[in-house]
Amino acid sequence: MQTQTAAHSVTPSATPSVSISPEPAPALAINGLVKHFGGKYAVSNLDLTIPRGEFHALLGPNGAGKTTTLRIVAGLLKADIGTAHILGHNIATHPTEAKRLLAFLPDDPLLYGKLRPLEYLEFVAGLWSVESTIAAARAEELLRWLDLWGNTSEYIEGFSRGMRQKLALAGALIHDPQVMILDEPLTGLDAAAARQVKDLLLERVKQGNTIVLTTHILEMAERLAERISIIQKGKIIAQGTLDELRELAAANATPGQNATLEDVFLELTSQRTNIEAASRTSAKSEGTT
Amino acid sequence: MIFTFTAATWPWLLRHELRLAWRNISRTSLWLIVIGGGLLWACLHLVAWLTLSNLGPLSGAIAGTSSAAPPPMATLVTGAALWFAISLMFSQAILLSITALFDRGDFDLLLSSPMPTQTVFIVRGMGVAISSVFLYLLLFTPFAHMGLITGHAHLLAIYPALISIGLFVSALGMLLTLTLVRVLGARHARMVGQLIGALVGAMFFLASQVQTMLSTETRAGITSTFKQWIAVDGPLAPDSAIWFPLRAMLGEWLPLLIVMGVGLGGFWLVVSLTYKRFLAGTQESVTGQASKKLPAVMGGSIKFRQGLMMNVLIKEWKLIVRDPNLIAQTFLQMLYLLPMIFIFFRRQDMTLLVMPATIMLASTLAGSLAWITIAAEDAPELIGVAPVQLARIRWMKALAAVMPVWILVSPVLAYLLFTTPLYAAAFASFIAGGTISAGLIQIWYPRQGDRKNMKKRGQGNMVINLIEGISALGWAGTSYAMLAAPLWAPLGLLLALTGPSGAWLLGKSRREQGVLA
């Protein structure tokens, strides 16, 4: 049985109850989420609330439970215990309403190799019941914006990893979602494409949409995210703006006012200690040889 | 004992290839192969011993103690069986060549290494040859071993003869694949190669079944022609060159030398003359140069279809139509099934034969297509996050699978409508029953597959595959019973309904877990 420990939350709001709150429902509200596979807990009593219009980064070491959490939120996995609400709609009990407002981009999106980009977007628009003329115009706009317009006559099977990622992103945007959940959205993208995607995401947030992303590129989270949650062993261990996280990490140990997110992340996930210990061991062994 | 080879030599690379092939077999299959194959091999030794001990008219010729040629009919039967095996070997070689050329993801590594391209090509060819010939070595070598015991030591020629044949058909398979790449480009070559491979494999079987559909007089005519051909000086006489592979395996020196010369020489020629083409073909397939390009879409000119149903149907149909390999595999199942159905319902009049046969074929085809559309969904996560109930999409996908089948059988329905309207009504009901049941099985027992593994879908869940078969047979049987023995019809119907109801019961927990597909 897992023991529950409180997260180092640096935000005043903890986990508002969606049902009794008089204010508009947050973009994402996760309460007491638990998911285990076999005997191993992937998510362990996780609470997370993300207000509307926020760019939120979910960081954590490999196997921390980020992807499992996002897959539960997207309705691809069922939680053992706990709830996830998208703009007030419970994903487990009202999946259709919740999914209508949501876009989920997995880290390795599977596309239809034998379809062409426009056919793919047409199908996705059909799934979300987007009006066909609006969808067609939006598809053209997105493909042009993502530099895929010149590839509309090719099958997706001939696309590079980066082109697939961009097309999947276009598919995620075709229904103009209010909440976007992105699992490693920059995987496989070159510098120019990564910049394009980052700009596009920032533009979405400016328009009042909410973005939740996971990434291993901490520089991206540092530059884009308004707030950051750090997840470890299936729990949120810290949450706040970068400055708030710096303060929290400084209270624990080394990182100072100019510490990077990488320093903060390593400190909070206790990986710095491990890395330094490993470096010391390595230096020692080199010295002896 | 572990053999060690000098790195970057052909034996070293060959060992690597064989290790990969070996590890591609799942653990369960491996045990089945080891135990089943071992038992089969032991039984074949027994069969070989019994055969070689009681050769009768062939013994003199085989033992080499008689100068008389083996009887024509015996030569025809064994020689034709060997050619059948060679055709299957060739079919296998084509398919393996395509895999070796297109599907293996290690070319970048191998071709960027300092190892000569020719070595890589030789080893790929040897890998194809070994994989193609392995089964036949298993089947034929017991005769070589028992030959040693029973005084027919020259049957050891089976080893060099069979290996030479394997090398030759592999060389042919690779040559055909490379020629197709040159003529059609990588993308089409792959598809056409797979089609040819599948059809060559099916050809002998289908030809052997043709006689079941012929009248007694026609069959008598064919037999008489064959008797003339196999007589002395006929084109299929026992001393004809067409039987060289058989005679080589029986240990005749001249045919053996010729078969070995042709096999080894052919393999060497293909390898040394075509490895440059192999390199070009590989690069083409890896870089996708052969992909089809259509004119670019004009801005503002695109139109999207409205509505979920139409989008799902069109998407599924496009994905099926654009994958000829899938179509070939699906229809090949039908081809294999056709003669069996004809044998089963043979002595009946045409309506009695056509109705159940068509229902059986239609149900099976609907099952395959429903597996493709429902289980082998390429992007299950996309479907999972869409704001539509999964079950609703599955129903649409099932409809996408059964509609083409309905269109395909409509000529039969039209024929019955004009000849026997009552039969037409029954036929329409049973076709609907059979195809819808096939769709329901996929809906109610959700599972996830990969359309690339369409051929292996039969090796998946045995119970559900059995249920599919029983249901199709049930609907066909019911229609047959309605026409020929009405009292048995309820039993047939019960059998037919076992399919969907079994899938419903067995798939309950899977549906509740929300298995994506």
Side-chain angles (χ1 to χ4, degrees):
Chain A
M1 186 77 182
Q2 297 276 314
T3 53
Q4 312 300 334
T5 53
H8 302 291
S9 180
V10 287
T11 48
S13 60
T15 51
S17 166
V18 175
S19 53
I20 56 167
S21 172
E23 294 176 9
L28 177 62
I30 300 173
N31 292 311
L33 208 65
V34 176
K35 179 74 189 174
H36 72 278
F37 299 104
K40 197 184 170 207
Y41 279 81
V43 181
S44 175
N45 203 23
L46 187 142
D47 294 315
L48 176 66
T49 302
I50 298 172
R52 294 177 185 222
E54 181 171 292
F55 199 128
H56 196 100
L58 191 59
L59 309 180
N62 292 333
K66 303 184 294 289
T67 299
T68 305
T69 305
L70 296 189
R71 290 176 70 83
I72 292 171
V73 171
L76 291 169
L77 274 178
K78 282 183 183 165
D80 298 333
I81 306 171
T83 57
H85 289 80
I86 311 285
L87 294 163
H89 301 288
N90 187 322
I91 189 74
T93 56
H94 295 86
T96 308
E97 291 82 352
K99 287 173 179 178
R100 207 175 289 286
L101 305 166
L102 180 76
F104 173 65
L105 185 69
D107 58 342
D108 186 11
L110 296 168
L111 306 171
Y112 302 98
K114 295 282 180 195
L115 290 187
R116 298 188 177 94
L118 281 169
E119 293 169 338
Y120 171 73
L121 294 179
E122 181 181 28
F123 174 66
V124 179
L127 285 176
W128 264 265
S129 306
V130 184
E131 208 275 313
S132 58
T133 48
I134 295 173
R138 204 175 283 158
E140 181 175 343
E141 187 189 348
L142 283 166
L143 291 182
R144 282 188 190 282
W145 209 84
L146 292 165
D147 282 338
L148 290 175
W149 186 250
N151 307 92
T152 48
S153 57
E154 296 165 34
Y155 284 150
I156 298 169
E157 65 187 3
F159 279 19
S160 68
R161 175 81 171 84
M163 288 161 83
R164 283 166 177 261
Q165 189 74 9
K166 286 199 278 185
L167 182 61
L169 185 66
L173 290 167
I174 195 88
H175 65 282
D176 195 17
Q178 293 181 39
V179 180
M180 289 186 78
I181 294 177
L182 313 169
D183 196 359
E184 298 285 350
L186 299 191
T187 310
L189 297 183
D190 58 30
R195 179 65 182 267
Q196 268 178 318
V197 171
K198 282 190 261 185
D199 289 349
L200 190 144
L201 297 180
L202 284 173
E203 186 59 35
R204 302 281 310 171
V205 174
K206 262 189 210 165
Q207 290 165 5
N209 299 300
T210 309
I211 288 175
V212 183
L213 66 76
T214 71
T215 180
H216 283 112
I217 309 169
L218 298 183
E219 178 267 338
M220 180 188 176
E222 190 171 350
R223 283 184 55 198
L224 302 181
E226 292 158 58
R227 284 198 315 147
I228 296 162
S229 294
I230 297 179
I231 184 170
Q232 191 174 33
K233 292 180 182 165
K235 293 188 189 99
I236 301 287
I237 57 162
Q239 193 181 87
T241 61
L242 180 58
D243 286 338
E244 288 169 337
L245 290 178
R246 274 191 192 124
E247 279 173 30
L248 183 70
N252 281 2
T254 42
Q257 284 304 307
N258 295 323
T260 61
L261 178 59
E262 188 181 29
D263 295 326
V264 173
F265 176 80
L266 291 175
E267 183 58 47
L268 291 176
T269 55
S270 306
Q271 293 186 8
R272 177 186 290 281
T273 330
N274 299 340
I275 292 166
E276 283 171 358
S279 304
R280 277 197 299 274
T281 314
S282 164
K284 205 184 249 179
S285 62
E286 275 171 22
T288 54
T289 54
Chain B
M1 181 179 171
I2 298 168
F3 294 100
T4 49
F5 299 106
T6 312
T9 56
W10 73 260
W12 174 83
L13 190 59
L14 183 64
R15 193 190 65 164
H16 167 74
E17 291 275 319
L18 294 177
R19 184 174 53 191
L20 287 182
W22 183 249
R23 288 185 184 170
N24 268 337
I25 306 168
S26 73
R27 226 178 164 74
T28 325
S29 308
L30 197 67
W31 277 111
L32 280 173
I33 289 169
V34 170
I35 296 169
L39 281 173
L40 176 72
W41 210 47
C43 289
L44 282 170
H45 277 84
L46 186 67
V47 171
W49 180 72
L50 288 171
T51 314
L52 292 172
S53 307
N54 303 284
L55 275 173
L58 270 175
S59 65
I62 287 182
T65 55
S66 155
S67 58
M73 195 48 89
T75 308
L76 178 74
V77 171
T78 45
L82 183 60
W83 275 110
F84 175 54
I86 292 171
S87 81
L88 291 180
M89 226 186 279
F90 180 49
S91 148
Q92 183 74 359
I94 296 171
L95 297 173
L96 288 168
S97 300
I98 292 166
T99 307
L101 189 57
F102 298 100
D103 290 347
R104 290 276 301 274
D106 55 357
F107 278 125
D108 284 351
L109 176 68
L110 290 175
L111 298 177
S112 64
S113 76
M115 196 180 291
T117 313
Q118 201 172 1
T119 307
V120 176
F121 189 48
I122 289 172
V123 172
R124 277 286 144 98
M126 290 170 88
V128 169
I130 291 170
S131 306
S132 308
V133 86
F134 181 75
L135 176 70
Y136 303 95
L137 279 173
L138 190 80
L139 290 175
F140 290 113
T141 49
F143 288 88
H145 306 151
M146 290 298 110
L148 266 180
I149 297 172
T150 55
H152 304 297
H154 48 89
L155 284 181
L156 283 173
I158 285 173
Y159 272 103
L162 208 52
I163 290 169
S164 305
I165 291 169
L167 282 172
F168 186 69
V169 293
S170 303
L172 275 187
M174 292 175 86
L175 190 64
L176 177 73
T177 308
L178 291 172
T179 311
L180 288 173
V181 170
R182 194 182 184 94
V183 177
L184 303 171
R187 199 171 72 98
H188 290 104
R190 179 198 172 101
M191 181 253 291
V192 174
Q194 279 168 332
L195 270 174
I196 294 174
L199 285 173
V200 167
M203 194 181 66
F204 252 85
F205 173 74
L206 290 174
S208 69
Q209 298 303 318
V210 164
Q211 53 95 16
T212 62
M213 301 171 213
L214 302 176
S215 66
T216 319
E217 295 77 32
T218 320
R219 271 185 282 157
I222 292 173
T223 311
S224 146
T225 312
F226 262 110
K227 276 183 181 163
Q228 285 169 16
W229 284 359
I230 59 176
V232 180
D233 296 333
L236 298 180
D239 60 348
S240 160
I242 204 165
W243 307 126
F244 267 21
L246 173 70
R247 289 164 61 192
M249 283 175 65
L250 292 178
E252 276 189 53
W253 281 108
L254 183 65
L256 180 61
L257 286 174
I258 291 173
V259 164
M260 283 176 68
V262 170
L264 297 170
F267 185 77
W268 180 82
L269 262 178
V270 168
V271 165
S272 48
L273 294 179
T274 57
Y275 78 93
K276 281 183 183 155
R277 187 60 223 159
F278 159 74
L279 187 62
T282 306
Q283 283 165 346
E284 197 178 321
S285 74
V286 169
T287 56
Q289 281 172 12
S291 63
K292 193 177 174 182
K293 281 233 171 191
L294 293 178
V297 179
M298 297 291 288
S301 66
I302 53 171
K303 282 196 175 104
F304 278 3
R305 231 168 271 105
Q306 186 67 42
L308 178 63
M309 168 85 91
M310 276 314 285
N311 271 299
V312 172
L313 292 180
I314 300 287
K315 170 242 173 192
E316 295 301 341
W317 290 336
K318 275 182 181 167
L319 289 180
I320 293 171
V321 169
R322 289 174 184 176
D323 198 340
N325 179 36
L326 210 60
I327 298 175
Q329 285 179 24
T330 309
F331 281 91
L332 206 66
Q333 287 178 347
M334 307 294 106
L335 274 179
Y336 278 117
L337 204 59
L338 204 60
M340 290 182 218
I341 294 168
F342 272 81
I343 294 164
F344 189 69
F345 297 109
R346 195 171 152 178
R347 289 192 184 78
Q348 313 299 330
D349 71 55
M350 275 308 282
T351 310
L352 268 184
L353 185 133
V354 167
M355 240 175 80
T358 313
I359 290 166
M360 178 83 193
L361 285 176
S363 308
T364 313
L365 180 60
S368 295
L369 292 177
W371 182 86
I372 293 167
T373 58
I374 298 172
E377 163 63 44
D378 279 340
E381 285 176 337
L382 174 69
I383 304 295
V385 297
V388 191
Q389 279 187 344
L390 203 54
R392 201 175 147 215
I393 294 194
R394 284 197 186 123
W395 278 97
M396 292 174 192
K397 283 163 161 274
L399 188 64
V402 297
M403 278 174 73
V405 183
W406 291 343
I407 293 167
L408 277 176
V409 299
S410 57
V412 181
L413 183 64
Y415 164 77
L416 290 173
L417 210 58
F418 282 110
T419 53
T420 42
L422 197 64
Y423 281 5
F427 177 74
S429 316
F430 292 128
I431 280 284
T435 52
I436 291 171
S437 293
L440 283 177
I441 291 169
Q442 297 298 333
I443 293 172
W444 284 340
Y445 191 88
R447 50 187 167 162
Q448 205 163 343
D450 182 349
R451 56 183 71 208
K452 282 181 195 150
N453 291 331
M454 167 77 189
K455 238 180 2 185
K456 291 183 183 166
R457 100 176 171 97
Q459 296 166 12
N461 189 319
M462 293 298 281
V463 178
I464 211 73
N465 290 333
L466 192 68
I467 280 176
E468 268 187 67
I470 288 174
S471 177
L473 196 66
W475 286 106
T478 309
S479 73
Y480 180 75
M482 287 280 279
L483 302 174
L487 277 178
W488 289 97
L491 185 68
L493 194 62
L494 196 69
L495 210 62
L497 295 175
T498 308
S501 43
W504 188 81
L505 281 172
L506 291 171
K508 211 171 170 189
S509 63
R510 298 175 77 90
R511 293 195 301 277
E512 280 163 6
Q513 284 163 16
V515 173
L516 291 174

